[in-house]
Amino acid sequence: MLGRRKREGEDLDREPPQDERLDRRAFLTRMSVVAAGAAVGQLPPLSLTGARPGAPRAGRLDTSDFFGAAAPASAGLQAAEPAELTIREAGALFRARELSPTELAADCLARIERWDGVYMAFNAVPADAVRERALELDGLQPRGLLHGIPLAIKDNFYTRGVPTTANSWIYQDFVPAFDATAVERLTAAGGIVLGKTQMGPLATTRALTPDGEITTLNAWVTHDSEVSPGGSSSGTATAVSARMAPAGIGTQTGGSITSPSLAQGLTGLKPTLGRVSLRGVIPLSYSRDHAGPLARDAADAALLLQAMAGPDPADLRTLGLPPVPDYLAAATPVEGDRGMELRWPTRVGVPEGWVGAGGDEVQADRESFLLALEAIGGELVEIALPPEWEGLTSSAMNAVRLPERSEIFLETLRRDVRLFGVALSPWINGLLLSGDEFLKGQRARVALLGLVLDRVFSSCDVVLQSGAGPMDMVGLPLIAFPIGMRERSGVAAPHGVLAAGLPFGEERLLALASAWQAVTDWHRQRPLRLSEEEQARARPTAEKSRGRLGAGAVAELAE
């Protein structure tokens, strides 16, 4: 099964991806400083070596070609249902003047109104402000990457004038005076804040109320609330999967972008630590928090990351990094002499036992995935995880993150522990972890990163994973995307693969996912529409339980 196959020759006109031009040891040094920075709350200036200097290539993107390539795919879509479009497809129609931002926004808002009482993906939708912004964009020539695109924003990102609660009693009355840097950059690129999405309290669980009541449902299995929609970014995932929003953003400290993406058939990308600013994101762990996109395909994930990524003086973790590359080019499939192929020769590490993990149904899809990967030029390399792997990635070592969150909320813990609701126990555990255990855990995390860089990635460029935890611990990028369907509570629901990359290996991960998606259609599958009975039940529930902010209220709250 794991035969070795290399592409003959290499297109020298393709600039090598960033992960080939980076000094791995420099990243290890940087992450050692980040681990120390968790104790002092800041990161001294430290530039990575081995990357070519210069301004981000984002300034030289040819977006006309990128959006133009999507026109054939969008030509057959119904204009009456623009919310079914991907960002790239909608962008192509905007540029062809066949669709307007107001039409797309209106369809998204109508779907939320009809369906969100069942899905429960949103907790605030500033509908009037959405319409006003879309109308402004109607009169402008599309230039920004996200011109006119409504976006679902996880409720731990600051949004100016719109409540940011993190689904916690601690922030129940908090209305930020400014946007998080990630949100600011998305809107500067033409994106529209469609609404704030439900999440686990303080980003610790699937979407729940602070007292533990389930909110968001998995869009594929609405009849069974016990089927998880994923991790704490599940509100965004459900909004995107249910076609109420074209795309959205979330955060990941322990799988909360990739897990909802796997559960709901999306393409979710957790970038390398520091690639996207965390200014204006309610924190959980200084050394492990990441922000990234949840989208329907790799092209849309690339668009969102391209807009969000880059240095931010307000977040020292983003400084001294390699320039932002051209993610759009990376996510553009390449046509070779023998059909679709990977943009760069890529060795894909397949850990022993990975294919058979998860049962017969999953195994068959994983085998098909690997065969297709070989067909497009991937070189499969069977790898054995080092014997130290199990100990360094254990739950005991993973617990080193808990004191970071406890320190951040120490004053709140002293004031009233009841404000944490069902999320309290990790904060208490963080207080109880001894100083020597914290120090040993930090050292173990640095040792794990050295092990990953020197031995796990010694013979490959990408490694398939069974869970996000190890790579979250060391700040390396991950991508999740669907490869098949399996039975969940009596219905078919998606499942996917999780792949890890080297430091700043987002280009290669996007190229891998986009090439796979160019020869398959799992990413185009969508949940069944809600029945008329479910829609009727949704309307009054949505009105009663979801915040709907008028334009006047938004302006008043922003002052």
Side-chain angles (χ1 to χ4, degrees):
M1 179 65 193
L2 299 184
R4 299 171 66 87
R5 171 177 179 249
K6 287 187 177 181
R7 185 191 309 164
E8 297 177 3
E10 179 179 352
D11 186 349
L12 298 180
D13 292 333
R14 298 176 197 162
E15 186 171 2
Q18 207 160 68
D19 61 5
E20 287 186 7
R21 297 176 281 126
L22 185 73
D23 184 344
R24 298 185 187 184
R25 305 308 296 179
F27 184 77
L28 178 61
T29 300
R30 182 181 179 89
M31 289 303 295
S32 300
V33 176
V34 170
V40 297
Q42 60 182 348
L43 176 68
L46 182 65
S47 295
L48 292 176
T49 59
R52 297 178 186 176
R57 279 185 276 157
R60 299 192 294 275
L61 297 176
D62 188 345
T63 57
S64 60
D65 286 352
F66 185 78
F67 286 105
S74 60
L77 291 167
Q78 295 287 333
E81 293 191 295
E84 297 286 337
L85 299 164
T86 65
I87 298 176
R88 192 181 186 192
E89 291 168 343
L93 294 182
F94 287 157
R95 286 156 177 78
R97 297 294 184 181
E98 296 176 17
L99 180 70
S100 71
T102 55
E103 292 171 322
L104 177 54
D107 194 26
C108 290
L109 291 171
R111 288 164 179 248
I112 294 169
E113 184 67 24
R114 290 197 304 268
W115 301 339
D116 197 43
V118 170
Y119 292 123
M120 295 186 286
F122 290 91
N123 60 17
V125 179
D128 291 347
V130 171
R131 295 186 186 99
E132 288 184 7
R133 180 56 180 154
L135 187 60
E136 290 174 8
L137 293 170
D138 273 357
L140 301 177
Q141 179 66 29
R143 288 191 176 87
L145 294 176
L146 303 173
H147 178 92
I149 302 298
L151 298 170
I153 309 296
K154 187 177 180 179
D155 197 27
N156 57 349
F157 287 86
Y158 284 25
T159 42
R160 182 178 182 269
V162 180
T164 297
T165 72
N167 250 12
S168 169
W169 285 319
I170 297 170
Y171 293 96
Q172 61 183 336
D173 299 318
F174 178 53
V175 181
F178 63 91
D179 286 332
T181 296
V183 175
E184 184 180 69
R185 290 177 176 173
L186 293 172
T187 55
I192 302 171
V193 175
L194 176 63
K196 305 299 290 294
T197 55
Q198 297 277 10
M199 56 181 285
L202 296 173
T204 53
T205 66
R206 65 176 286 183
L208 303 171
T209 63
D211 57 4
E213 181 182 352
I214 290 174
T215 57
T216 307
L217 301 179
N218 187 311
W220 295 78
V221 195
T222 56
H223 66 280
D224 187 352
S225 63
E226 296 302 316
V227 175
S228 176
S232 69
S233 302
S234 47
T236 295
T238 295
V240 177
S241 186
R243 276 39 178 187
M244 294 186 292
I249 58 173
T251 58
Q252 178 154 325
T253 306
S256 288
I257 290 172
T258 54
S259 176
S261 298
L262 292 171
Q264 302 208 53
L266 301 178
T267 301
L269 178 61
K270 187 211 79 168
T272 307
L273 183 73
R275 182 48 90 193
V276 176
S277 172
L278 292 166
R279 169 187 171 269
V281 178
I282 294 173
L284 194 60
S285 170
Y286 179 85
S287 61
R288 284 184 51 162
D289 288 350
H290 304 74
L294 293 92
R296 296 185 200 152
D297 59 23
D300 280 9
L303 279 162
L304 290 168
L305 183 59
Q306 196 78 61
M308 288 192 292
D312 177 7
D315 183 353
L316 297 178
R317 289 162 292 191
T318 69
L319 304 183
L321 303 183
V324 176
D326 186 346
Y327 295 123
L328 306 191
T332 301
V334 175
E335 188 77 29
D337 295 337
R338 293 177 294 175
M340 203 61 62
E341 63 182 24
L342 291 172
R343 177 168 288 271
W344 300 288
T346 297
R347 300 165 301 166
V348 180
V350 185
E352 291 178 353
W354 179 84
V355 173
D360 294 342
E361 194 174 12
V362 171
Q363 178 173 339
D365 286 335
R366 287 185 173 182
E367 289 174 347
S368 297
F369 167 71
L370 293 178
L371 286 172
L373 204 56
E374 283 192 300
I376 57 178
E379 178 187 353
L380 304 184
V381 180
E382 190 166 35
I383 61 173
L385 295 176
E388 304 96 324
W389 179 266
E390 185 174 349
L392 291 175
T393 60
S394 67
S395 58
M397 293 304 171
N398 198 24
V400 70
R401 73 196 190 281
L402 298 181
E404 293 183 35
R405 68 176 66 175
S406 298
E407 189 274 334
I408 293 168
F409 289 92
L410 190 56
E411 290 304 315
T412 307
L413 286 164
R414 288 171 175 163
R415 186 171 75 251
D416 189 349
V417 296
R418 293 173 297 179
L419 292 172
F420 290 85
V422 294
L424 175 62
S425 60
W427 274 266
I428 298 299
N429 291 336
L431 290 175
L432 297 176
L433 194 74
S434 65
D436 65 303
E437 290 177 296
F438 178 75
L439 291 174
K440 288 176 184 176
Q442 296 291 358
R443 292 169 187 155
R445 184 164 56 168
V446 174
L448 174 62
L449 178 57
L451 187 76
V452 169
L453 295 178
D454 294 341
R455 293 166 64 181
V456 176
F457 278 104
S458 62
S459 60
C460 55
D461 308 296
V462 171
V463 177
L464 300 176
Q465 294 285 284
S466 297
M471 299 306 166
D472 286 344
M473 292 172 70
V474 296
L476 294 181
L478 289 163
I479 196 166
F481 53 92
I483 65 165
M485 304 287 283
R486 62 173 173 166
E487 188 272 332
R488 299 293 301 276
S489 191
V491 299
H495 70 93
V497 295
L498 184 64
L502 284 160
F504 306 98
E506 292 85 2
E507 290 168 286
R508 198 184 293 273
L509 293 177
L510 286 166
L512 177 74
S514 66
W516 159 260
Q517 290 173 351
V519 297
T520 62
D521 65 356
W522 294 112
H523 62 291
R524 297 190 185 95
Q525 305 303 309
R526 56 150 299 154
L528 295 175
R529 291 182 183 272
L530 296 179
S531 66
E532 291 185 7
E533 178 183 351
E534 288 172 317
Q535 291 185 48
R537 187 171 73 250
R539 280 190 285 272
T541 307
E543 282 298 310
K544 181 178 179 181
S545 62
R546 297 291 167 269
R548 299 286 187 260
L549 302 180
V554 171
E556 180 181 348
L557 288 169
E559 294 177 356

